[in-house]
Amino acid sequence: MSLDMLTPYLVEIARPIIGAKTIQVILFREVLDYTVLRTEETREVNTVVTPLSISIGKDVRRAAFLGSKQKAVESRELERMLRTAGVEAGLVELQCHLKDNLCLKCPRCALFGGTNVESGSEKIANIKHRIEYGTAFSLLPFEEVRVALTFNAINDKTQKTGQALGTRYAVRPSTVFPSVVTLKSVTHKELILVIKTLLSARNYGAETRIGGDMRNSIVGIVAGWEEMITPLELTLELYDRREDLSGDTVAGILDRYQAYAGNPNKLKVFTPEQVDLMVEQVAEVSLDRRFLDEAYADVAQYRLEQKG
Ligand SMILES: [Zn+2]
């Protein structure tokens, strides 16, 4: 099984003290519908100034897809998946809700971390996250991916469009955000749950009535004892190769970053064929009773160890 090639970078059982084993999943998040990526306060699309590429230092603005936004959607997606799989497998329905009612007993809580907010007499330990997100940047400069959405007022009496209320920017369909999800000291089952989550998560819109649909394609996997690459480095490297956005291109970039690693002999860049096979195998795994029982038992073991 191709997935077995990742075994040296996985842990048998998740533990409160985190080791160095790191897996980075490289993905292209492609926008499928007009998407407003903004923070609630400013109502502006998040943009940031970066160099154009690794080879061209000229400053440009890029749309920024905050790591916290990616994480929020994917954490909920995993929760939904666990709840539905649990009901289907005949388990007690999962009672775990973001962000004030985390159960701290399910694989989502074990992976994404959680804080107990109940102020009972017994102090319950928090869980530290082992999945990390970085802000992703649009491959192309903001000027090339933005569209202006104009809002008009309709006059009730005449049903004619009145004066324009204003203009708001969104990111247009087919915009690509190269992105990295980093897993630290995760188990085989957690890896499966994360990949399934990345494949099935879709709606990232800040406002549900304005698009926000995206598709994640997993285009690379690198494993080692450290983080190999950040989303910004990935984007700047890919800009120079934007005519060939493929798994081969990503693997070539990751190979070169091996030179900067602290433990290069521990590092493995998987080929696009291996990555495709791994993703295929994960998709085929069924979240049945046995899988869930074992995954929840792992979390129970983690909590037991935490109690000491
Ligand atoms: Zn939970």
Side-chain angles (χ1 to χ4, degrees):
M1 201 168 172
S2 271
L3 221 47
D4 294 341
M5 299 178 74
L6 277 166
T7 303
Y9 307 98
L10 296 167
V11 296
E12 282 281 319
I13 189 139
R15 311 184 67 171
I17 295 171
I18 297 172
K21 290 178 177 180
T22 304
I23 296 173
Q24 289 193 294
V25 181
I26 314 295
L27 48 152
F28 291 162
R29 300 183 186 276
E30 189 184 354
V31 175
L32 299 179
D33 197 355
Y34 297 98
T35 299
V36 180
L37 296 167
R38 61 167 173 76
T39 40
E40 313 308 324
E41 307 82 55
T42 62
R43 303 189 70 82
E44 296 286 328
V45 177
N46 296 313
T47 62
V48 69
V49 174
T50 72
L52 179 61
S53 76
I54 283 290
S55 65
I56 307 167
K58 183 184 86 149
D59 279 351
V60 294
R61 268 205 307 163
R62 283 189 152 90
F65 184 7
L66 300 182
S68 55
K69 297 256 173 200
Q70 303 164 38
K71 180 179 177 175
V73 169
E74 284 156 23
S75 170
R76 284 198 173 87
E77 183 71 28
L78 177 54
E79 176 212 316
R80 275 195 291 266
M81 205 159 70
L82 287 169
R83 181 178 301 129
T84 301
V87 169
E88 192 152 286
L91 294 169
V92 180
E93 187 170 351
L94 179 63
Q95 294 298 330
C96 182
H97 307 278
L98 280 173
K99 56 185 179 37
D100 294 332
N101 190 26
L102 294 174
C103 70
L104 305 185
K105 289 172 184 164
C106 75
R108 190 273 294 268
C109 288
L111 192 59
F112 282 84
T115 307
N116 190 278
V117 290
E118 271 171 41
S119 51
S121 53
E122 193 195 358
K123 178 110 179 75
I124 302 173
N126 297 334
I127 302 179
K128 185 171 162 39
H129 67 270
R130 283 172 294 119
I131 182 166
E132 288 175 8
Y133 288 83
T135 294
F137 306 91
S138 57
L139 182 64
L140 301 179
F142 184 54
E143 282 65 30
E144 294 178 46
V145 301
R146 72 174 178 189
V147 286
L149 303 178
T150 309
F151 293 91
N152 293 307
I154 302 222
N155 185 314
D156 277 343
K157 221 172 184 177
T158 61
Q159 286 297 308
K160 282 182 190 158
T161 307
Q163 73 192 80
L165 281 181
T167 307
R168 203 147 35 142
Y169 287 110
V171 172
R172 69 168 162 73
S174 86
T175 301
V176 172
F177 289 88
S179 178
V180 181
V181 173
T182 302
L183 305 174
K184 293 204 161 152
S185 299
V186 300
T187 65
H188 185 259
K189 287 194 171 57
E190 286 171 333
L191 174 71
I192 288 173
L193 289 171
V194 168
I195 292 181
K196 278 184 177 294
T197 299
L198 293 174
L199 295 176
S200 56
R202 281 283 184 283
N203 202 296
Y204 292 83
E207 294 173 20
T208 44
R209 66 197 175 81
I210 305 179
D213 284 342
M214 292 198 192
R215 181 179 297 278
N216 298 323
S217 305
I218 295 173
V219 292
I221 292 178
V222 57
W225 280 12
E226 62 208 279
E227 286 181 44
M228 275 299 300
I229 195 161
T230 65
L232 182 61
E233 289 168 326
L234 181 67
T235 299
L236 299 187
E237 293 281 353
L238 283 169
Y239 184 82
D240 284 335
R241 300 162 181 80
R242 63 191 178 283
E243 303 305 325
D244 183 24
L245 289 185
S246 66
D248 280 317
T249 302
V250 170
I253 293 168
L254 294 171
D255 274 334
R256 283 203 301 108
Y257 273 67
Q258 209 150 356
Y260 310 131
N263 293 291
N265 60 329
K266 294 294 177 192
L267 209 137
K268 177 132 182 70
V269 177
F270 294 93
T271 66
E273 294 74 28
Q274 289 168 336
V275 171
D276 285 351
L277 262 175
M278 287 173 190
V279 171
E280 228 170 88
Q281 285 171 355
V282 166
E284 279 167 15
V285 173
S286 154
L287 299 184
D288 55 17
R289 180 68 186 253
R290 188 177 160 189
F291 184 102
L292 294 172
D293 279 346
E294 288 175 7
Y296 278 84
D298 285 350
V299 185
Q301 180 64 38
Y302 177 109
R303 296 298 272 169
L304 209 62
E305 195 167 320
Q306 226 178 1
K307 274 186 184 159

